[in-house]
Amino acid sequence: MSINTPEELAGMKAAGRVVRQMLEAMKAGVRSGATTRDLDEIGAHVMREAGARSAPELVYQFPGTSCISVNQEIVHGIPSDRKLRAGDVLKLDVTIEKDGFMADACETVIVGRDSVDDAPHGLGADLAACARRAFDAALVAARAGNRVADIGAAVEGEVRRSGFHVIRELCGHGIGRTIHERPSVPNYADPYAKTLLTDGLVITIEPIIASKSAKAYLASDGWTMRTSDRGLAAHHEHTMVITNSEPLLLTA
């Protein structure tokens, strides 16, 4: 969507705040032995208290409140009784609807031995840090007057420099009144991504990357995307409003 009124901006900000609150509560529940369903229920409680609804469930009938993916699972993991272990690369992907507006964000967390605050290390932590750096690089290109392809080029450049790989089948997108709106926002320098970024346009930027290769497949559950070579995956995403200067982050 493109924001044209103060009321629309207020609605998007309110949706973004709920996403942030859910992510913070879910992150606080991350520990060895917790299940992905435990985390989903934590997020669902915050969501309901805020008067919001799960957008994946509402739009796509997803079997969970939020998408929670672990290690080789890239995106759209279904919450389950799977127990987390120290070192797991955990993706918490939250999208909600509140009062007709939708916002979306994802963070990658490395499960610690006792809490999310344990200092992460190793390949998973390096991958998660790269996804965050790629997101930050993309923000520089996310200006009115630039094109969607400029965002992808910035993401891909940072990921390649770090020795990792962009999952090309998955990308950012417009958002606002529903989850996936125009334009698509690829994470690579797509020559066909010529859409002009305009003041007020609401999009997500979301580097989705893997450690071994860019190959991915859809699992038999019909939802979860996995790496084809058992490489680890990381994902970092925020919803934002494009402006003539720095974008306005709604879920940070």
Side-chain angles (χ1 to χ4, degrees), residues 144-155:
N146 286 349
R147 297 190 181 275
V148 167
D150 297 322
I151 292 173
V155 169

Side-chain angles (χ1 to χ4, degrees), residues 52 57 134 165:
E57 187 177 21
H165 307 273

Side-chain angles (χ1 to χ4, degrees), residues 19 21-31 36 38-44 46 66-68 90 92-94:
V19 169
Q21 291 163 1
M22 290 173 66
L23 278 172
E24 292 303 320
M26 293 165 76
K27 283 164 44 178
V30 173
R31 57 182 50 84
T36 56
D38 292 337
L39 300 180
D40 193 55
E41 290 174 353
I42 289 170
V46 174
S66 299
C67 301
I68 304 179
L90 176 68
L92 302 172
D93 191 357
V94 174

Side-chain angles (χ1 to χ4, degrees), residues 12 15-16 18-20 22-23 26 40 43-44 47 52-60 62 64-68 76 92-98 101-106 173-180 204 206 235 237-239 251:
M12 286 302 304
V18 176
V19 169
R20 183 75 258 150
M22 290 173 66
L23 278 172
M26 293 165 76
D40 193 55
M47 179 189 72
R53 298 185 292 175
S54 165
E57 187 177 21
L58 182 66
V59 177
Y60 297 116
F62 179 74
T65 298
S66 299
C67 301
I68 304 179
H76 306 154
L92 302 172
D93 191 357
V94 174
T95 315
I96 62 92
E97 179 274 337
K98 180 174 172 59
F101 297 93
M102 294 191 182
D104 185 4
C106 180
H173 49 88
I175 190 170
R177 292 299 189 175
T178 191
I179 300 178
H180 296 110
T204 71
E206 47 181 311
H235 181 189
E237 173 188 17
H238 284 296
T239 298
T251 53

Side-chain angles (χ1 to χ4, degrees), residues 106-118:
C106 180
E107 292 191 19
T108 298
V109 175
I110 309 302
V111 180
R113 295 190 183 277
D114 298 308
S115 76
V116 73
D117 296 321
D118 287 352

